[in-house]
Each structure stands twice: as structure tokens, then as C-alpha cells.
Amino acid sequence: MVTEQTTRGPIDRISGALHHRPRLRLALLLGLPLLWLVGVYGGSLLALLSQSFFSIDDFSGTIDRTLTLDTWGDLFTDSNISIAIRTTVMATAVTIAAAIVAFPIAYYAVRFAGRRLRAVFFVLILIPLWSSYLVRVYSWKLILAREGILFWFVDKLGLNFLLDAALSAPGIGGPSLSASALGQFIVFVYIWLPYMILPVHAALERVPTSYLEASADLGARPLQTFRTVIWPLAIPGIAAGSIFTFSLTLGDYIIPTIIGDSTPFVGLAIYSYQGVAGNLPLAAAFTFFPIVIMGVYLYVARRVGAFEAL
Amino acid sequence: MKRRHLGLRLSTWAVLLFLHIPIAIVGLYAFTTESSAFTFPPPGLTLEWFGIAWDNGDVRGALSLSLRVAATATVIALILGTMAAAAVWRRRFFGREAVSLFVVLPIALPGIVTGIALRSAISLGRIPFSFWTIVIGHATFAVAIAYNNVAARMRRTSHSLLEASADLGANGWQTFRHVLLPQIRPALIAGGMLAFALSFDEIIVTTFTAGNQQTLPIWIFSSLVRPRQRPITNVVALFVVALTIIPIVLATRLTRNTEGTSG
């Protein structure tokens, strides 16, 4: 069929011209997004860097814009370094716990659940992932409160002594679960768990059934198959999930504000330097910690193949 | 066979309960008659807080601001994300990898870094806080969401469709309108819904770009830090959960259905 091209409008001429100039077409497509990303986001990152070379005037509390290394000198104090270490420990613990909790559900969904059940699982995991983060943190304030459901439940079961033992443990305890490091840890794991389940699920889904059959045919027991076939293929998925759980724990300041014993975390320190203290230069310099820790983490994760599993 | 995996089944359902009980708790507490503590079980149930929350001017103002910000950021993200995805689609050019890395950087770095970075730029440029400073913060990560969705869809769309369209005499706009757009529409709708839900819920970045303005998450956060009007907070929490779940369930249904039909 021949199209009736009686007139060629301006759009035809423009698109014809663009067709013969792929570079111009590329520039037009990329121009606006790049301008946005490089201009707004890249520019902000540069502003962040330059801000860290400013300092705060102790008397007036205003930002002094002469370049100095004073703020960086204030950054590497013992207390700030211990904040970074404590945050890294928490992020590591949360990541490991999330991997342990996520693996069985992902494994069950892939290996044993039928098509319908698998679709149901998928939605049931997505709902907590996408339903309001802030409200889910809040829900734990309701759950962990002294008069709340968890204490009520523990009381009904007569397990008070267990809870009291956990709360009186040094380092993780506190006056109540909602004011303890233990409670904080539970909430972190809860909030970021779906970010671990989905990549592990995706990695397990890519293990061909024929591998498992081959392994069984060659005489491997189920546990052997798991250890030598399934587990190595699941590691990239766990590594991919851990990027989320680790990075999100590292930068979070909402959970430490609402739940826990108010010991500072990296995110909380940045937040309060910026807000309460009004020391934007130190807050900017403080982002050095999460950026460097994440950089190291991403480098390691890449080596174990996390990016192929994202 | 089934008995063998009893432990696995139990732990699976336990994890699902762990994920969903807190959301159910939020639903329950919106109806409690108690106004100052979190007693379980609630001493009584009532609907009165819904009316009181609806009449609260702060809540309505915050809700309206959040909806306007999310809508604006989503539109910007869809336009810029689609353009970036189209640019890197089936093309090799210098800096292509850098472009795709840079687009996802805002979601790879911890949110607080993005937040402080934008706050630094605002301070450096002496830009007054406004509706648009919030929108810019949200659009930076929303672009990444839109880009990811559209780029994934385009990877599964054959380039020869466009060549066929051009051979049949369609101009660039017609090809986009009648060939490419129908192909990527599900990705646009799903990406748009995700971007909207994320923006509506965002607090980490917003804190640094909002100044004195209150979005709904900022209102919730401030009423958690300084507990006041607990019943209203409970109702708002339930409302926000409902409002974010509905688009997500729709979006997953949408992408699944189209994947089924297009193979």
C-alpha cells in the first residue's frame, strides 16, 4: 500500500533531517535529561564537596565561605569515628539477619510454590516494600511500646523473664524494646527485608532445574546439591540485596530518631549537624563516611557478581 | 514430600506474617478509642477520629502539598526518564555507560547524601525554599525509577518495528505516537505509579529541601518526634498506607498482564 504523501509538513521535514543526523538526534534526546542530572544532581554533589571546605562561625553561627580544612579536621574525632564504626556494625548485622530471614521464603517460593501461589507471594512481598516507609516505622512504635501488643503477647505466654533478660543485656538492652538497640535492629531488619527477598528470589529463579537434576543424577544428596549448586548461584542475589540493606541502614536517620536508645548513627549525626546545630559544612563533610563505606562495599559486591543479579 | 518441607513452609508463612502484622496493627489503631497511649488490646473502637483528622487544617494542607509535589515530580520524571532511556536504547556511543550509571546514582547513594547535596546547593546558591525545591529533590530519584522501567521495556522491544514504521512513510512523531508509545505504555504507567508512590512517601531527601513547608510524611514525622494528636496520626497513617498500596497493586497487575500477552 502506498501512503498518500501529498504534502510534507514541517514535522516530516524535521524528522527526515534528524534521521540523517543520528548525532543531533542523540543530542536532542539526551540534552534535557543530562542537563537535569549533571546540572542539578552533579552540581549539588559539587556543592556538597565545596560546602565541606567552608566552616561555621562559632559566634554568629553563620557559614564562613573562606576555604579551609578546619571542618575536615573536626570530622576525624574519636567520637565521630566511633559513630561510623557503630553504624557499619549495625548495617552489617542487619544485612546478615535480612539474608538469613529472606532466604527460606525466596527458596520456598521458587522451588516448591506453584504458579498461582508464587504470584500471591510476589504481591505479598511487594506490598510492605511499597507501603509507606514512615508508617511502617511508626507501626513498630505501636508494637514495641510497654503497653503494646508485643509485651501483651509475651505476658500472656509467660515469657517475661526472657524479655527482661534481653532488655537488661548491656549494649543491646534498654528501658523498653522501643528504646533499645535490640528493638532498633528488629525494625531495621523489618523495613529493609523485602529489598533482600526480591534479588535472592530472582537469583534462585535463574538456577536451571536441569542443574539440580544433573546433580541428583550424579549421586549428590539434597544437602550436597544445596551446598555445591544452589548456594553458590544464590550468592550474587544475596550480594545484590545486601547493597540495599547495607546502604539504606547506613544513611537512615528516621529509625534511630523514633526507635532506639538515641545513640548517634551516621545518618542521625548528619541530620542533627544540619538541623539542630546548623552546621551544614560539618554535615557535608560527614557524608564522606557513608560515601566511602558504600564505595568499598560496592567494589566488593561487584567482585562477587552482585551487579549481574540486580 | 510435603512433610519434609514443613520447616521451610512454616518459616515462609512466619516471614509473611512478620511483614504484614505491623501494617494490620496500624489499621487497628486508627479505630482505638484511646487518645494518649498504645494499649493493646484497644479498650474500644470508634470512627470519630476519621472526621477529626479530615477537619484538621494542617493535615489537609500537607496532603495537598504532597499530592501536588508527587504529580509534578512524576510528570518530569516520565519525560526525562523516557528521553534518557530512548537515547541509550540499542545505541553505542561514547559515555553510554556513564549515562546509565549517572541516572541510577541518585538511588544507589544513601538518600541522606542526596539530601545534604541538594541542601548544600540551595545554601550555596541562596535559593529560597519553595514548592520547586521539593519537586527537584523528588524528581532526581523519580527519573531513575522511570528510566529503569522504560529502559527495561525498550530492551524487549525490537528496533525493527521503528524501521518498518519509517519504511512505511511515518515521520518521527507518528512512529513515536503509533508504534513506540503503545509498546512502552505499560512501563510508563507502572513507572509513573511507582514514582508517584515513592514521592508521596519520601521523607529522607524532603527534610533537606522543604524548609518550613510540610509534606504529609514531614507532618507524620514531626508528630512522631513530638507526640501530639496521636489519634489523628493513627488515622493519617492508615490513610497513607491505603493510598500507597492501591497504586502498587494496580501497577504489578498491569505489568504482569502485559507480560503475559506479549510473551
Side-chain angles (χ1 to χ4, degrees):
Chain A
M1 195 186 108
V2 181
T3 46
E4 55 267 53
Q5 272 199 340
T6 45
T7 53
R8 278 171 59 85
I11 296 175
D12 290 292
R13 255 173 285 140
I14 294 170
S15 78
L18 284 178
H19 190 73
H20 298 292
R21 292 179 186 77
R23 282 180 176 282
L24 181 62
R25 198 171 49 184
L26 182 66
L28 282 179
L29 273 178
L30 262 184
L32 215 51
L34 269 192
L35 195 73
W36 177 275
L37 282 166
V38 175
V40 176
Y41 194 67
S44 298
L45 288 176
L46 281 182
L48 173 79
L49 188 68
S50 65
Q51 196 71 246
S52 71
F53 291 103
F54 296 159
S55 61
I56 196 94
D57 187 306
D58 285 335
F59 296 103
S60 62
T62 52
I63 294 169
D64 179 2
R65 294 192 177 183
T66 41
L67 296 182
T68 167
L69 283 171
D70 288 358
T71 304
W72 282 91
D74 291 342
L75 182 64
F76 295 103
T77 59
D78 285 350
S79 72
N80 283 350
I81 290 172
S82 76
I83 289 174
I85 292 173
R86 188 171 332 109
T87 311
T88 311
V89 169
M90 177 60 101
T92 310
V94 167
T95 298
I96 293 171
I100 293 173
V101 178
F103 197 88
I105 180 168
Y107 187 67
Y108 183 78
V110 170
R111 286 264 79 83
F112 302 110
R115 270 185 79 87
R116 279 184 66 93
L117 193 59
R118 210 188 285 197
V120 172
F121 277 175
F122 195 65
V123 174
L124 285 180
I125 292 162
L126 279 185
I127 285 174
L129 177 64
W130 292 112
S131 64
S132 172
Y133 150 80
L134 198 56
V135 170
R136 291 193 302 134
V137 178
Y138 175 54
S139 72
W140 282 90
K141 188 132 184 126
L142 302 173
I143 292 170
L144 297 177
R146 266 267 169 218
E147 70 274 17
I149 182 169
L150 194 76
F151 279 81
W152 178 81
F153 215 70
V154 166
D155 193 50
K156 287 272 181 239
L157 292 174
L159 295 173
N160 286 326
F161 66 97
L162 266 180
L163 193 58
D164 289 338
L167 285 181
S168 57
I172 61 166
S176 82
L177 266 176
S178 62
S180 70
L182 180 64
Q184 202 173 49
F185 167 77
I186 295 172
V187 177
F188 269 127
V189 173
Y190 169 77
I191 297 287
W192 309 133
L193 185 59
Y195 290 92
M196 180 63 90
I197 298 177
L198 290 175
V200 173
H201 180 270
L204 288 174
E205 212 165 30
R206 279 197 289 262
V207 179
T209 330
S210 57
Y211 283 24
L212 309 181
E213 287 160 2
S215 173
D217 289 348
L218 292 168
R221 283 187 301 277
L223 204 64
Q224 259 178 317
T225 304
F226 181 82
R227 208 162 42 84
T228 55
V229 180
I230 297 171
W231 180 249
L233 289 171
I235 282 185
I238 295 175
S242 77
I243 294 174
F244 293 110
T245 56
F246 195 85
S247 163
L248 290 167
T249 311
L250 207 58
D252 192 272
Y253 61 88
I254 304 289
I255 294 171
T257 308
I258 297 176
I259 312 273
D261 49 6
S262 63
T263 51
F265 275 70
V266 166
L268 197 57
I270 295 173
Y271 174 66
S272 50
Y273 278 133
Q274 184 276 148
V276 184
N279 192 344
L280 188 55
L282 190 52
F286 219 101
T287 57
F288 167 84
F289 286 122
I291 291 174
V292 167
I293 296 170
M294 256 343 272
V296 172
Y297 199 89
L298 287 176
Y299 177 75
V300 175
R302 215 172 103 136
R303 301 211 62 168
V304 294
F307 290 133
E308 284 88 72
L310 273 177
Chain B
M1 185 72 184
K2 283 221 155 168
R3 286 189 69 89
R4 278 238 312 273
H5 304 295
L6 190 66
L8 200 56
R9 284 225 319 269
L10 283 181
S11 52
T12 297
W13 290 108
V15 171
L16 286 178
L17 280 178
F18 174 62
L19 284 174
H20 286 270
I21 283 177
I23 300 174
I25 296 280
V26 168
L28 175 69
Y29 274 91
F31 301 95
T32 182
T33 48
E34 197 180 35
S35 63
S36 59
F38 304 127
T39 310
F40 185 88
L45 299 175
T46 172
L47 283 171
E48 68 170 311
W49 306 121
F50 285 81
I52 294 173
W54 180 246
D55 289 335
N56 185 304
D58 286 351
V59 173
R60 285 170 83 150
L63 174 65
S64 144
L65 178 61
S66 278
L67 289 174
R68 281 182 292 132
V69 166
T72 316
T74 304
V75 170
I76 294 175
L78 285 178
I79 295 171
L80 295 183
T82 307
M83 288 173 86
V88 300
W89 179 37
R90 301 279 157 98
R91 277 205 197 92
R92 299 264 164 267
F93 57 87
F94 178 72
R96 183 182 186 275
E97 296 303 310
V99 168
S100 46
L101 177 74
F102 213 82
V103 172
V104 294
L105 201 60
I107 47 175
L109 280 178
I112 194 152
V113 176
T114 307
I116 288 286
L118 289 167
R119 178 74 185 79
S120 298
I122 288 168
S123 154
L124 208 62
R126 300 213 163 83
I127 303 161
F129 292 111
S130 70
F131 173 77
W132 289 102
T133 52
I134 307 180
V135 167
I136 285 171
H138 287 198
T140 41
F141 64 82
V143 168
I145 307 285
Y147 168 84
N148 274 344
N149 268 274
V150 175
R153 183 77 202 178
M154 281 185 172
R155 252 178 260 134
R156 287 182 282 136
T157 304
S158 169
H159 219 278
S160 56
L161 283 178
L162 306 194
E163 283 153 19
S165 168
D167 287 348
L168 291 169
N171 64 36
W173 168 250
Q174 286 167 330
T175 301
F176 174 74
R177 174 71 188 76
H178 299 292
V179 180
L180 189 57
L181 194 61
Q183 282 291 320
I184 63 171
R185 185 179 289 136
L188 285 176
I189 297 174
M193 281 177 174
L194 294 186
F196 189 93
L198 274 187
S199 164
F200 186 74
D201 190 35
E202 168 28 74
I203 175 135
I204 303 262
V205 175
T206 317
T207 312
F208 300 106
T209 60
N212 293 325
Q213 306 164 87
Q214 281 204 323
T215 62
L216 202 56
I218 290 183
W219 183 89
I220 298 176
F221 184 53
S222 69
S223 57
L224 293 188
V225 176
R226 280 177 300 279
R228 56 187 154 89
Q229 307 164 310
R230 267 189 188 151
I232 299 183
T233 314
N234 291 338
V235 170
V236 172
L238 176 60
F239 175 75
V240 169
V241 165
L243 207 67
T244 37
I245 286 181
I246 293 165
I248 297 316
V249 173
L250 286 179
T252 50
R253 284 185 73 100
L254 204 74
T255 42
R256 223 189 25 242
N257 286 347
T258 52
E259 251 147 48
T261 51
S262 67

